[in-house]
């Protein structure tokens, strides 16, 4: 019987050859100009493509939500993955596949990129994991700043928009929001 290197035990630890780990990240990235292009079935295709990438690169997607202008993922990955490389792989492959299947997206994005170059990566602990899962899977997750604070993971409370007020994923200046969020958390790209 072949041993699977990516096993998760009841204690939520994964075992590799010579190491034990538990690395989960809450990843968020936005479409370029926060254009609401991930809709009308494109969101479902996006989820399928991300699942295929997870299988190919051997990481697990524990929770996923594709909103019209941003994506939330809760991923569990091996320590050999640099998170920046993982995001680059996902965003690059996803954009290439989406533009091949839906060339009209390029027109809607003025012939440019599908994704904003920024992203947000937050480490998830055993204590915050359930909160992050609830937030991503919440039926009322709209990316609206009016989302109740009880749905937010602790690190999210550091996120503020350009006005200095708590903000989730919508803002009149979304690009400054995501860059400030990354800077606030300390994992600037």
């Amino acid at each position: 019987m072949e041993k699977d290197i990516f096993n998760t035990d009841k204690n939520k630890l994964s075992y590799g050859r010579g190491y034990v780990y538990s690395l989960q990240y809450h990843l968020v990235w936005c479409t370029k100009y926060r254009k609401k292009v991930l809709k009308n079935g494109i969101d479902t295709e996006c989820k399928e493509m991300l699942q295929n990438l997870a299988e190919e690169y051997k990481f697990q997607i524990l929770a996923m939500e594709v909103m019209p202008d941003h994506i939330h993922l809760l991923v569990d990955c091996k320590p050999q993955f640099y998170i920046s490389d993982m995001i680059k792989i996902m965003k690059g492959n996803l954009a290439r596949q989406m533009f091949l299947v839906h060339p009209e997206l390029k027109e809607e994005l003025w012939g440019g990129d599908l994704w904003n170059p920024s992203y947000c990566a937050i480490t998830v602990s055993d204590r915050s994991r359930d909160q992050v899962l609830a937030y991503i899977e919440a039926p009322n997750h709209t990316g609206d700043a009016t989302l109740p604070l009880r749905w937010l993971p602790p690190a999210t409370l550091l996120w503020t928009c350009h006005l200095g007020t708590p903000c989730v994923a919508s803002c009149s200046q979304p690009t400054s929001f995501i860059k400030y969020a990354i800077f606030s958390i300390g994992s600037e790209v």
Side-chain angles (χ1 to χ4, degrees):
M1 184 163 103
E2 187 177 312
K3 183 179 176 184
D4 183 11
I5 278 191
F6 200 74
N7 286 333
T8 303
D9 199 359
K10 290 178 183 175
N11 60 6
K12 297 182 184 170
L13 292 176
S14 298
Y15 300 86
R17 188 178 179 139
Y19 56 92
V20 178
Y21 63 93
S22 175
L23 294 173
Q24 287 96 36
Y25 298 96
H26 179 194
L27 306 175
V28 183
W29 68 84
C30 304
T31 57
K32 192 78 167 186
Y33 313 114
R34 288 300 289 262
K35 295 280 266 178
K36 296 181 186 297
V37 295
L38 306 175
K39 57 187 177 185
N40 301 329
I42 293 176
D43 52 343
T44 307
E45 291 176 39
C46 226
K47 287 179 181 181
E48 291 171 10
M49 290 176 190
L50 284 167
Q51 284 294 356
N52 292 338
L53 284 171
E55 288 175 23
E56 183 180 343
Y57 288 94
K58 305 215 183 315
F59 62 91
Q60 293 179 329
I61 297 177
L62 305 175
M64 172 177 16
E65 188 56 53
V66 177
M67 303 305 295
D69 63 350
H70 66 284
I71 293 179
H72 282 274
L73 293 175
L74 178 60
V75 297
D76 188 327
C77 61
K78 296 179 182 183
Q80 291 87 346
F81 280 116
Y82 290 121
I83 198 66
S84 59
D85 291 343
M86 196 168 143
I87 299 245
K88 200 181 301 180
I89 287 167
M90 286 190 286
K91 288 170 71 173
N93 284 322
L94 198 54
R96 186 175 55 255
Q97 291 174 28
M98 294 303 283
F99 284 146
L100 286 173
V101 176
H102 300 281
E104 70 275 8
L105 287 177
K106 268 206 183 236
E107 293 172 19
E108 195 165 342
L109 294 164
W110 300 300
D113 302 320
L114 179 58
W115 307 116
N116 185 315
S118 301
Y119 65 87
C120 181
I122 302 170
T123 55
V124 176
S125 70
D126 289 338
R127 291 184 179 187
S128 64
R129 181 179 179 175
D130 292 336
Q131 289 175 315
V132 171
L133 279 169
Y135 174 68
I136 292 173
E137 295 172 351
N140 63 344
H141 174 130
T142 61
D144 187 3
T146 61
L147 190 67
L149 289 179
R150 67 176 160 34
W151 287 107
L152 300 178
T156 307
L157 297 177
L158 296 173
W159 296 9
T160 57
C161 71
H162 68 289
L163 300 173
T165 57
C167 188
V168 178
S170 65
C171 180
S172 61
Q173 294 183 1
T175 304
S176 64
F177 156 71
I178 196 72
K179 286 183 180 174
Y180 188 81
I182 293 166
F183 180 76
S184 297
I185 294 166
S187 57
E188 188 170 10
V189 180

